[in-house]
Amino acid sequence: MTSSAAHLRDRVLAGDRRAVARAITVLERGGEDAVTLHAALHPHAGRALRLGVTGPPGAGKSTLVDRLARELHGDFPRIAVLAVDPSSPVTQGALLGDRIRMGALQELPGVFVRSMASRGVLGGLAPAALEVLDCLDAAGFDLLLVETVGVGQSELEVAFAADLTLLVSAPGAGDGIQALKAGLLEMADMVCVNKSDLGGAESVRNDLLAAFELSSNGPDGSPAIVLVSARTGEGVDELASLVTNLSGEQDFRIRFKERRGRAARRRIVSGLQLEAGREAGVILGNTPELVAAVVDGRMTPRDASHEVFRRILKGET
Amino acid sequence: MKNAFPPIRVLVAKPGLDGHDRGAKVVAAALRDAGMEVIYTGLRQTPEMIVRTALDEDVDAIGLSIHSGAHMVLFRKVMALLREEGMQDVLLTGGGIIPDDDAKALAKEGVGRLFGPGAPLAELVEYIREEVEARRTASQKKES
C-alpha cells in the first residue's frame, strides 16, 4: 500500500467526512487503487446496521428515507445514506435527484448522504455499492441506509447487501395478483404502504395480507405491513420502532450472522465469476479454434466451458 | 476494470430564493446527456448546503443557477466556503442573469466562466469537460 493510500485509510477510519467522500470515489473508479483501499478498510467493517430500502419508481422511497432516518437518528447518531439512481445505458450519464427529497435530513449532524449512479449494473444497486457500504461501515456510521433505484419484480440485490430489507409500495401499483408474484415480496423483512394520506392504501394492505396468507411461510412468518405517509410523517414512528425492534437494539451482528454468511458467500461467488470470466477471456483469445468449434456445431457451448474451466484449473492459458 | 476517464460528477444547484429552475433543469439534462453524473438538489439551497453536498458527493464541478441578482454575494460565499474546506480544485461555474462586469470580477476571484441566457448548451458541456480534465490531470501530478 502506498503512503497516500494508508493516509486515506487512516482518515476514513477516523471518520473524516472529506476522506470518506474521496474514498467512495476511489472505490467507484475501480482498478488496483480500489482493491487496495477496500482490503484496508474491510477488516474494520461489520459494526453498522444495514437497512435496504427498495420499491418501484415513484413509491416515495427517497422521501421515506428522509423521514425514517430522522426518526431513527436518536437510536443511531451517525447515519449514512447511499442513494442509487439509474445511469443511462446510452450515454452513461445520470441525473441523481434523490437528495431533493432529503433536505431536512442533511441538516442533521452526523448524517452523510451520497448519490450513486448504477453505471450499467442491473439488480437495483451500483457496481461498487457493497465496497462503498464497507467503507461507510469502517468510517464508524451506526446505520447505513441503502436506497435502490426504482425496481421491478426481479431486482433483489439489496436483500443480499442489507441486514434488513424494507419494501416500499404505494397505492395504484397493480392489483392483488401483482402481490402474489415471486420476487421482492419474499425477500422483504418489512413492507410499508406509503402515501396513506391518499386513498387506496388500505386496499393495498389487504392485497398484501391476502398474498402472505397464501404463502408457505404462513401469515406468522410474513413481514409486518405498516401504513405510512412519508409526506405527513404519519406511521413513520411505527416503522422506525419496527426497525429498532428487528435489529434487536444493538445485537444485530449476532442476529444477522446467518444472513451475513449468505451475503458473504454471494460476494465470494460473484468475485470468482469475475475472475474466472477474465481468465476465460484470455484463454479464448489464445484458442480461437474452441470458439470456431462451437460456431460450427462440433462442440456445445457447455462442453467448451468445461474445457476452459479445465484449463483454468490446470493453469494453462 | 478500471475506467480510463471516470464519469464527471457535477452538482447543479439553485441558491437563493428565486424559483426559476427551468434553466437549471435544462442544464442538468444536457450534462446528463453528455455522459456526466449530475447531482440535482432542487431549489432554495444555502451556500452551506451546497458546499456540504459538494463535499459528500466529491464532485468535480459545481454549477449555480442564479436569476435573483444576488450572484456576487452567492458566488463569493460558495467560493469562500470551498476554500475553507480545502476544495479549491472543484470548478465553480454557473449561469443566469449576470452582467459581464460582474462575471469578470468573479473570474478574478477564481470563479469559472458564467453563461448567460442563449449560451449554447454544447459550449457549457465542453467547458466543464475541458476544465475538469485539466484539473484532474493537475491533481494527479500533485499526488504522484
Side-chain angles (χ1 to χ4, degrees), chain A residues 146-228:
Chain A
V146 198
E147 181 191 331
T148 69
V149 302
V151 301
Q153 287 155 335
S154 41
E155 290 102 334
L156 310 168
E157 282 308 313
V158 69
F160 294 96
D163 297 316
L164 285 172
T165 303
L166 167 66
L167 173 62
V168 184
S169 68
D175 64 6
I177 294 297
Q178 297 302 332
L180 280 175
K181 290 186 178 169
L184 263 185
L185 214 50
E186 296 168 284
M187 309 295 285
D189 301 290
M190 298 163 282
V191 179
C192 74
V193 183
N194 192 16
K195 309 191 186 183
S196 64
D197 51 319
L198 306 178
E202 282 288 345
S203 104
V204 175
R205 172 162 62 186
N206 292 339
D207 285 345
L208 288 166
L209 280 172
F212 287 138
E213 256 167 49
L214 293 174
S215 91
S216 52
N217 289 337
D220 293 339
S222 299
I225 305 171
V226 186
L227 290 191
V228 301

Side-chain angles (χ1 to χ4, degrees), chain B residues 18-144:
Chain B
D18 80 279
H20 306 284
D21 64 347
R22 168 121 187 114
K25 283 179 177 160
V26 168
V27 165
L31 297 174
R32 176 203 63 196
D33 291 343
M36 301 184 193
E37 292 181 357
V38 182
I39 293 107
Y40 185 68
T41 53
L43 294 168
R44 285 183 282 281
Q45 301 280 303
T46 65
E48 285 79 8
M49 287 157 83
I50 289 166
V51 172
R52 182 167 169 181
T53 298
L55 192 151
D56 280 10
E57 299 285 356
D58 196 23
V59 293
D60 300 289
I62 303 174
L64 301 184
S65 167
I66 305 175
H67 292 82
S68 61
H71 47 267
M72 296 308 275
V73 177
L74 291 167
F75 273 107
R76 279 181 177 146
K77 180 76 188 164
V78 171
M79 199 73 208
L81 289 169
L82 285 175
R83 289 222 170 88
E84 230 169 78
E85 293 287 351
M87 295 166 67
Q88 299 89 320
D89 49 349
V90 174
L91 168 66
L92 178 60
T93 173
I97 310 295
I98 296 160
D100 282 349
D101 288 349
D102 288 356
K104 275 181 202 145
L106 289 171
K108 278 190 194 131
E109 296 168 35
V111 174
R113 249 178 87 185
L114 301 179
F115 296 79
L121 286 168
E123 219 172 277
L124 170 71
V125 167
E126 212 32 57
Y127 171 71
I128 290 182
R129 185 172 286 144
E130 279 172 10
E131 269 292 319
V132 168
E133 279 181 34
R135 282 163 195 246
R136 278 189 185 174
T137 315
S139 79
Q140 263 168 14
K141 269 188 196 143
K142 209 166 59 187
E143 266 169 40
S144 59

